[in-house]
Amino acid sequence: MQKRLTIKILVVLFAVPWIAPLSARPITRADAARAAIHPVHDAAQMQAWLARVPVTRDFPPDFAETLSSAASLNVIEMTTAPGCLPCAELWARLGEFRARYRLPVRIIGRDEAMLRAGRLGLPWVGHPVAWVRPIGDERRAIPIAIGTDHLVNLARNVYLATKMLSGVRPDVGLRAMAKYTGIVAVAARSPQGRP
């Protein structure tokens, strides 16, 4: 009797996690956004998330040439906020990139970034977000990072954005882009508890 009861308890314990998802509500866009965005509170948490991010290993033969020639045509823009650890991390990576390929890097304000994200149909998830755009055209911008990332992934995304801005079909470029990490700053809260 005791053995049969133990088996029934084990069956229930192991079956419940498998049964629950079947009866759970459908996954919403908000659920997907929460799963893709990783707000970090400190440097250790940020580095732990970065350690999980796959690193780009393959680069096309025209990689360096394309990026060097884009320096006079394109600009990299990113958002930032006071005390934003991922912003400082992304700024440092883009600084390395700027030193190597001479592409200009600049900061844009939150309002400008939110408008740009809205035009592209992207939800605003917080800082940092980075784009590549032609120097003479503020309306044509391609997101290269939502959150911070490894330098090689950023470089690959800048390369692909440069290619798309010069005529490569967007679907080809987007398929090849490194996935955005979503490692963003924790939203600051006001004294009333609202962001």
Side-chain angles (χ1 to χ4, degrees), residues 59 63-64 67-68 71 93-103 151-152 155:
F59 294 91
F63 181 79
L67 291 176
S68 296
R93 298 290 161 263
L94 292 176
E96 292 175 52
F97 189 82
R98 177 181 51 218
R100 185 173 299 156
Y101 298 107
R102 305 288 179 222
L103 242 76
L151 180 60
V152 292

PDB file of all heavy atoms in Angstrom, residues 59 63-64 67-68 71 93-103 151-152 155:
ATOM      1  N   PHE A  59      33.388  35.617 -40.284  1.00  0.00           N
ATOM      2  CA  PHE A  59      33.274  36.941 -40.879  1.00  0.00           C
ATOM      3  C   PHE A  59      33.538  36.850 -42.371  1.00  0.00           C
ATOM      4  O   PHE A  59      34.407  36.102 -42.808  1.00  0.00           O
ATOM      5  CB  PHE A  59      34.266  37.908 -40.231  1.00  0.00           C
ATOM      6  CG  PHE A  59      33.946  38.174 -38.785  1.00  0.00           C
ATOM      7  CD1 PHE A  59      34.504  37.399 -37.781  1.00  0.00           C
ATOM      8  CD2 PHE A  59      33.071  39.180 -38.430  1.00  0.00           C
ATOM      9  CE1 PHE A  59      34.205  37.623 -36.458  1.00  0.00           C
ATOM     10  CE2 PHE A  59      32.762  39.414 -37.102  1.00  0.00           C
ATOM     11  CZ  PHE A  59      33.322  38.640 -36.118  1.00  0.00           C
ATOM     12  N   PHE A  63      34.921  42.109 -44.796  1.00  0.00           N
ATOM     13  CA  PHE A  63      34.501  42.695 -43.521  1.00  0.00           C
ATOM     14  C   PHE A  63      35.245  44.002 -43.207  1.00  0.00           C
ATOM     15  O   PHE A  63      34.631  45.064 -43.077  1.00  0.00           O
ATOM     16  CB  PHE A  63      34.723  41.660 -42.408  1.00  0.00           C
ATOM     17  CG  PHE A  63      34.304  42.123 -41.054  1.00  0.00           C
ATOM     18  CD1 PHE A  63      32.968  42.106 -40.698  1.00  0.00           C
ATOM     19  CD2 PHE A  63      35.235  42.582 -40.138  1.00  0.00           C
ATOM     20  CE1 PHE A  63      32.570  42.535 -39.443  1.00  0.00           C
ATOM     21  CE2 PHE A  63      34.839  43.013 -38.890  1.00  0.00           C
ATOM     22  CZ  PHE A  63      33.503  42.978 -38.534  1.00  0.00           C
ATOM     23  N   ALA A  64      36.559  43.961 -43.073  1.00  0.00           N
ATOM     24  CA  ALA A  64      37.342  45.145 -42.692  1.00  0.00           C
ATOM     25  C   ALA A  64      37.235  46.247 -43.742  1.00  0.00           C
ATOM     26  O   ALA A  64      37.088  47.429 -43.405  1.00  0.00           O
ATOM     27  CB  ALA A  64      38.807  44.761 -42.463  1.00  0.00           C
ATOM     28  N   LEU A  67      33.767  47.981 -43.492  1.00  0.00           N
ATOM     29  CA  LEU A  67      33.642  48.847 -42.327  1.00  0.00           C
ATOM     30  C   LEU A  67      34.517  50.092 -42.447  1.00  0.00           C
ATOM     31  O   LEU A  67      34.092  51.187 -42.082  1.00  0.00           O
ATOM     32  CB  LEU A  67      33.979  48.075 -41.054  1.00  0.00           C
ATOM     33  CG  LEU A  67      32.946  47.011 -40.686  1.00  0.00           C
ATOM     34  CD1 LEU A  67      33.394  46.234 -39.469  1.00  0.00           C
ATOM     35  CD2 LEU A  67      31.579  47.621 -40.453  1.00  0.00           C
ATOM     36  N   SER A  68      35.711  49.949 -42.969  1.00  0.00           N
ATOM     37  CA  SER A  68      36.588  51.112 -43.143  1.00  0.00           C
ATOM     38  C   SER A  68      36.006  52.095 -44.149  1.00  0.00           C
ATOM     39  O   SER A  68      36.063  53.312 -43.950  1.00  0.00           O
ATOM     40  CB  SER A  68      37.978  50.672 -43.592  1.00  0.00           C
ATOM     41  OG  SER A  68      38.564  49.890 -42.574  1.00  0.00           O
ATOM     42  N   ALA A  71      33.075  54.504 -42.864  1.00  0.00           N
ATOM     43  CA  ALA A  71      33.351  55.560 -41.885  1.00  0.00           C
ATOM     44  C   ALA A  71      32.926  56.937 -42.365  1.00  0.00           C
ATOM     45  O   ALA A  71      32.491  57.763 -41.567  1.00  0.00           O
ATOM     46  CB  ALA A  71      34.834  55.560 -41.518  1.00  0.00           C
ATOM     47  N   ARG A  93      32.676  49.248 -25.800  1.00  0.00           N
ATOM     48  CA  ARG A  93      32.819  48.372 -26.979  1.00  0.00           C
ATOM     49  C   ARG A  93      32.801  49.203 -28.266  1.00  0.00           C
ATOM     50  O   ARG A  93      33.595  48.983 -29.165  1.00  0.00           O
ATOM     51  CB  ARG A  93      31.684  47.356 -27.042  1.00  0.00           C
ATOM     52  CG  ARG A  93      31.610  46.415 -25.897  1.00  0.00           C
ATOM     53  CD  ARG A  93      32.747  45.409 -25.892  1.00  0.00           C
ATOM     54  NE  ARG A  93      32.873  44.847 -24.570  1.00  0.00           N
ATOM     55  CZ  ARG A  93      33.726  45.263 -23.645  1.00  0.00           C
ATOM     56  NH1 ARG A  93      34.547  46.250 -23.903  1.00  0.00           N
ATOM     57  NH2 ARG A  93      33.783  44.697 -22.473  1.00  0.00           N
ATOM     58  N   LEU A  94      31.868  50.157 -28.342  1.00  0.00           N
ATOM     59  CA  LEU A  94      31.787  50.982 -29.546  1.00  0.00           C
ATOM     60  C   LEU A  94      33.009  51.895 -29.659  1.00  0.00           C
ATOM     61  O   LEU A  94      33.427  52.227 -30.769  1.00  0.00           O
ATOM     62  CB  LEU A  94      30.489  51.796 -29.555  1.00  0.00           C
ATOM     63  CG  LEU A  94      29.214  50.965 -29.729  1.00  0.00           C
ATOM     64  CD1 LEU A  94      27.977  51.853 -29.632  1.00  0.00           C
ATOM     65  CD2 LEU A  94      29.221  50.174 -31.022  1.00  0.00           C
ATOM     66  N   GLY A  95      33.601  52.275 -28.532  1.00  0.00           N
ATOM     67  CA  GLY A  95      34.847  53.046 -28.564  1.00  0.00           C
ATOM     68  C   GLY A  95      35.981  52.242 -29.179  1.00  0.00           C
ATOM     69  O   GLY A  95      36.773  52.759 -29.982  1.00  0.00           O
ATOM     70  N   GLU A  96      36.065  50.963 -28.828  1.00  0.00           N
ATOM     71  CA  GLU A  96      37.060  50.073 -29.442  1.00  0.00           C
ATOM     72  C   GLU A  96      36.812  49.968 -30.941  1.00  0.00           C
ATOM     73  O   GLU A  96      37.743  50.001 -31.751  1.00  0.00           O
ATOM     74  CB  GLU A  96      36.982  48.674 -28.824  1.00  0.00           C
ATOM     75  CG  GLU A  96      37.416  48.584 -27.385  1.00  0.00           C
ATOM     76  CD  GLU A  96      37.195  47.182 -26.832  1.00  0.00           C
ATOM     77  OE1 GLU A  96      37.654  46.200 -27.470  1.00  0.00           O
ATOM     78  OE2 GLU A  96      36.551  47.063 -25.776  1.00  0.00           O
ATOM     79  N   PHE A  97      35.548  49.825 -31.290  1.00  0.00           N
ATOM     80  CA  PHE A  97      35.155  49.706 -32.687  1.00  0.00           C
ATOM     81  C   PHE A  97      35.524  50.980 -33.447  1.00  0.00           C
ATOM     82  O   PHE A  97      36.063  50.941 -34.545  1.00  0.00           O
ATOM     83  CB  PHE A  97      33.653  49.437 -32.761  1.00  0.00           C
ATOM     84  CG  PHE A  97      33.175  49.095 -34.127  1.00  0.00           C
ATOM     85  CD1 PHE A  97      33.291  47.813 -34.614  1.00  0.00           C
ATOM     86  CD2 PHE A  97      32.618  50.064 -34.942  1.00  0.00           C
ATOM     87  CE1 PHE A  97      32.857  47.494 -35.885  1.00  0.00           C
ATOM     88  CE2 PHE A  97      32.186  49.761 -36.210  1.00  0.00           C
ATOM     89  CZ  PHE A  97      32.304  48.470 -36.673  1.00  0.00           C
ATOM     90  N   ARG A  98      35.225  52.143 -32.843  1.00  0.00           N
ATOM     91  CA  ARG A  98      35.533  53.436 -33.476  1.00  0.00           C
ATOM     92  C   ARG A  98      37.038  53.587 -33.698  1.00  0.00           C
ATOM     93  O   ARG A  98      37.478  54.052 -34.749  1.00  0.00           O
ATOM     94  CB  ARG A  98      35.011  54.578 -32.600  1.00  0.00           C
ATOM     95  CG  ARG A  98      35.338  55.955 -33.143  1.00  0.00           C
ATOM     96  CD  ARG A  98      34.835  57.060 -32.232  1.00  0.00           C
ATOM     97  NE  ARG A  98      35.274  56.846 -30.868  1.00  0.00           N
ATOM     98  CZ  ARG A  98      34.540  57.099 -29.793  1.00  0.00           C
ATOM     99  NH1 ARG A  98      33.333  57.595 -29.918  1.00  0.00           N
ATOM    100  NH2 ARG A  98      35.009  56.871 -28.599  1.00  0.00           N
ATOM    101  N   ALA A  99      37.830  53.179 -32.726  1.00  0.00           N
ATOM    102  CA  ALA A  99      39.287  53.279 -32.861  1.00  0.00           C
ATOM    103  C   ALA A  99      39.805  52.402 -34.005  1.00  0.00           C
ATOM    104  O   ALA A  99      40.730  52.787 -34.720  1.00  0.00           O
ATOM    105  CB  ALA A  99      39.961  52.887 -31.553  1.00  0.00           C
ATOM    106  N   ARG A 100      39.202  51.264 -34.194  1.00  0.00           N
ATOM    107  CA  ARG A 100      39.665  50.334 -35.220  1.00  0.00           C
ATOM    108  C   ARG A 100      39.186  50.705 -36.624  1.00  0.00           C
ATOM    109  O   ARG A 100      39.939  50.633 -37.581  1.00  0.00           O
ATOM    110  CB  ARG A 100      39.204  48.917 -34.873  1.00  0.00           C
ATOM    111  CG  ARG A 100      39.750  47.873 -35.841  1.00  0.00           C
ATOM    112  CD  ARG A 100      39.427  46.467 -35.409  1.00  0.00           C
ATOM    113  NE  ARG A 100      40.012  46.195 -34.115  1.00  0.00           N
ATOM    114  CZ  ARG A 100      39.572  45.276 -33.275  1.00  0.00           C
ATOM    115  NH1 ARG A 100      38.529  44.539 -33.587  1.00  0.00           N
ATOM    116  NH2 ARG A 100      40.154  45.078 -32.119  1.00  0.00           N
ATOM    117  N   TYR A 101      37.914  51.100 -36.755  1.00  0.00           N
ATOM    118  CA  TYR A 101      37.337  51.313 -38.093  1.00  0.00           C
ATOM    119  C   TYR A 101      36.993  52.768 -38.401  1.00  0.00           C
ATOM    120  O   TYR A 101      36.540  53.067 -39.491  1.00  0.00           O
ATOM    121  CB  TYR A 101      36.085  50.436 -38.267  1.00  0.00           C
ATOM    122  CG  TYR A 101      36.423  48.974 -38.178  1.00  0.00           C
ATOM    123  CD1 TYR A 101      36.079  48.237 -37.056  1.00  0.00           C
ATOM    124  CD2 TYR A 101      37.125  48.339 -39.193  1.00  0.00           C
ATOM    125  CE1 TYR A 101      36.400  46.897 -36.956  1.00  0.00           C
ATOM    126  CE2 TYR A 101      37.450  46.993 -39.110  1.00  0.00           C
ATOM    127  CZ  TYR A 101      37.090  46.283 -37.984  1.00  0.00           C
ATOM    128  OH  TYR A 101      37.413  44.963 -37.886  1.00  0.00           O
ATOM    129  N   ARG A 102      37.173  53.661 -37.435  1.00  0.00           N
ATOM    130  CA  ARG A 102      36.967  55.109 -37.622  1.00  0.00           C
ATOM    131  C   ARG A 102      35.517  55.505 -37.866  1.00  0.00           C
ATOM    132  O   ARG A 102      35.263  56.609 -38.322  1.00  0.00           O
ATOM    133  CB  ARG A 102      37.859  55.664 -38.742  1.00  0.00           C
ATOM    134  CG  ARG A 102      39.321  55.388 -38.560  1.00  0.00           C
ATOM    135  CD  ARG A 102      39.852  56.250 -37.447  1.00  0.00           C
ATOM    136  NE  ARG A 102      41.275  55.986 -37.234  1.00  0.00           N
ATOM    137  CZ  ARG A 102      41.814  55.888 -36.036  1.00  0.00           C
ATOM    138  NH1 ARG A 102      41.094  56.052 -34.968  1.00  0.00           N
ATOM    139  NH2 ARG A 102      43.103  55.655 -35.903  1.00  0.00           N
ATOM    140  N   LEU A 103      34.567  54.635 -37.588  1.00  0.00           N
ATOM    141  CA  LEU A 103      33.154  55.009 -37.707  1.00  0.00           C
ATOM    142  C   LEU A 103      32.804  55.929 -36.544  1.00  0.00           C
ATOM    143  O   LEU A 103      33.109  55.613 -35.393  1.00  0.00           O
ATOM    144  CB  LEU A 103      32.262  53.763 -37.630  1.00  0.00           C
ATOM    145  CG  LEU A 103      31.418  53.471 -38.858  1.00  0.00           C
ATOM    146  CD1 LEU A 103      32.275  52.884 -39.947  1.00  0.00           C
ATOM    147  CD2 LEU A 103      30.284  52.576 -38.526  1.00  0.00           C
ATOM    148  N   LEU A 151      32.005  42.591 -28.470  1.00  0.00           N
ATOM    149  CA  LEU A 151      32.505  43.428 -29.558  1.00  0.00           C
ATOM    150  C   LEU A 151      32.345  42.742 -30.912  1.00  0.00           C
ATOM    151  O   LEU A 151      31.938  43.373 -31.883  1.00  0.00           O
ATOM    152  CB  LEU A 151      33.970  43.808 -29.320  1.00  0.00           C
ATOM    153  CG  LEU A 151      34.612  44.684 -30.384  1.00  0.00           C
ATOM    154  CD1 LEU A 151      33.880  46.012 -30.516  1.00  0.00           C
ATOM    155  CD2 LEU A 151      36.082  44.912 -30.067  1.00  0.00           C
ATOM    156  N   VAL A 152      32.651  41.455 -31.001  1.00  0.00           N
ATOM    157  CA  VAL A 152      32.562  40.768 -32.303  1.00  0.00           C
ATOM    158  C   VAL A 152      31.123  40.709 -32.809  1.00  0.00           C
ATOM    159  O   VAL A 152      30.876  40.812 -34.010  1.00  0.00           O
ATOM    160  CB  VAL A 152      33.199  39.359 -32.273  1.00  0.00           C
ATOM    161  CG1 VAL A 152      34.700  39.440 -32.098  1.00  0.00           C
ATOM    162  CG2 VAL A 152      32.561  38.479 -31.216  1.00  0.00           C
ATOM    163  N   ALA A 155      30.322  44.190 -34.052  1.00  0.00           N
ATOM    164  CA  ALA A 155      31.008  44.431 -35.330  1.00  0.00           C
ATOM    165  C   ALA A 155      30.259  43.743 -36.465  1.00  0.00           C
ATOM    166  O   ALA A 155      30.069  44.324 -37.537  1.00  0.00           O
ATOM    167  CB  ALA A 155      32.451  43.932 -35.252  1.00  0.00           C
TER     168      ALA A 155
END
